[in-house]
């Protein structure tokens, strides 16, 4: 049994994903090495503290509501977010981290422990934002391009139809713009 326990402990501490476990009172009971690195806290200093220490203040209320909701569902696992969304964590130095997360419920013999398996997706979100920006803007002028115009026009037409209002569009022709271009 000791060998098996050491095996699982080593497995959890060697995984690249951060793992943060809390009890039903949102008290941190465990973080693995990857979580220590990701959040800049070590297990000894963070164990017994409220999970909110790892979450920016503006998200405390919503996060607490989401946790309560998860606790009442009886689900054993839930994926948080999708390829374009994320949750936000807070590093010990205060900077924010965009995270992908899976939440799991595990019985430890004394009751349930809730663990978040987290990965830093900041780079992916920033890349998606950059690509979206490049798709919307003309590289020379930095102005919205035709694709953006058509998207905005479609949205405005929908809104005008929905509210029963008129819509107008003004086009300008700039003389000798090709020479500038």
């Amino acid at each position: 049994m000791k060998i098996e326990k050491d095996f699982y402990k080593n497995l959890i501490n060697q995984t690249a994903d951060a793992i943060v476990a809390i009890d039903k009172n949102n008290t941190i009971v465990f973080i693995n090495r990857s979580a220590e690195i990701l959040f800049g806290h070590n297990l000894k200093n963070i164990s017994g503290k409220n999970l909110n220490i790892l979450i920016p203040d503006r998200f405390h209320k919503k996060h607490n509501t989401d946790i309560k909701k998860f606790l009442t569902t009886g689900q054993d696992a839930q994926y948080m977010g999708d390829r374009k969304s994320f949750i936000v964590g807070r590093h010990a130095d205060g900077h924010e981290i965009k995270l992908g997360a899976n939440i799991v419920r595990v019985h430890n013999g004394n009751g349930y422990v809730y663990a978040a398996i987290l990965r830093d997706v900041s780079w992916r979100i920033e890349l998606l934002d950059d690509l979206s920006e490049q798709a919307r803007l003309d590289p020379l002028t930095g102005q919205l391009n035709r694709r953006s115009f058509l998207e905005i026009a479609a949205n405005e037409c929908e809104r005008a139809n929905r509210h029963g209002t008129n819509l107008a569009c003004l086009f300008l022709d700039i003389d000798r713009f090709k020479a500038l271009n």
Side-chain angles (χ1 to χ4, degrees):
M1 190 69 167
K2 169 86 169 111
I3 293 172
E4 187 176 300
K5 186 176 180 180
D6 288 343
F7 169 78
Y8 290 117
K9 184 177 180 181
N10 190 37
L11 184 68
I12 288 168
N13 275 318
Q14 295 304 318
T15 186
D17 285 342
I19 300 174
V20 177
I22 61 169
D23 64 15
K24 65 182 178 182
N25 300 315
N26 289 348
T27 302
I28 298 170
V29 296
F30 174 79
I31 63 172
N32 70 348
R33 286 189 189 122
S34 293
E36 289 179 334
I37 294 165
L38 182 65
F39 291 106
H41 292 281
N42 64 47
L43 178 59
K44 290 177 186 172
N45 294 340
I46 202 169
S47 185
K49 295 195 175 171
N50 189 286
L51 180 62
N52 283 339
I53 196 170
L54 301 178
I55 300 166
D57 295 345
R58 70 183 185 281
F59 295 115
H60 286 183
K61 185 176 180 180
K62 181 177 180 347
H63 192 264
N64 291 337
T65 301
D66 290 346
I67 288 175
K68 285 178 186 172
K69 185 177 175 182
F70 177 72
L71 297 181
T72 61
T73 65
Q75 290 178 284
D76 287 327
Q78 181 176 352
Y79 181 71
M80 307 294 289
D82 58 32
R83 291 183 187 269
K84 293 181 183 177
S85 67
F86 52 90
I87 62 172
V88 182
R90 178 176 53 200
H91 189 274
D93 68 9
H95 82 267
E96 294 185 359
I97 313 160
K98 296 171 182 167
L99 303 165
N102 288 319
I103 312 299
V104 296
R105 178 179 75 154
V106 181
H107 199 278
N108 70 356
N110 299 323
Y112 286 105
V113 173
Y114 304 89
I117 303 164
L118 307 158
R119 68 215 58 78
D120 185 344
V121 296
S122 299
W123 65 272
R124 185 180 74 203
I125 300 301
E126 289 168 14
L127 178 63
L128 287 171
D129 290 347
D130 287 347
L131 290 173
S132 176
E133 189 81 1
Q134 289 176 22
R136 293 178 49 243
L137 299 179
D138 176 77
L140 180 64
T141 63
Q143 299 302 308
L144 294 176
N145 61 19
R146 182 175 188 267
R147 174 185 292 165
S148 296
F149 168 77
L150 293 174
E151 184 179 308
I152 292 167
N155 290 338
E156 291 303 317
C157 287
E158 283 179 30
R159 185 166 50 158
N161 287 335
R162 190 172 52 247
H163 296 291
T165 59
N166 294 325
L167 181 65
C169 184
L170 176 66
F171 287 92
L172 298 175
D173 183 20
I174 302 172
D175 289 337
R176 294 187 274 292
F177 184 71
K178 281 209 187 267
L180 212 84
N181 206 354

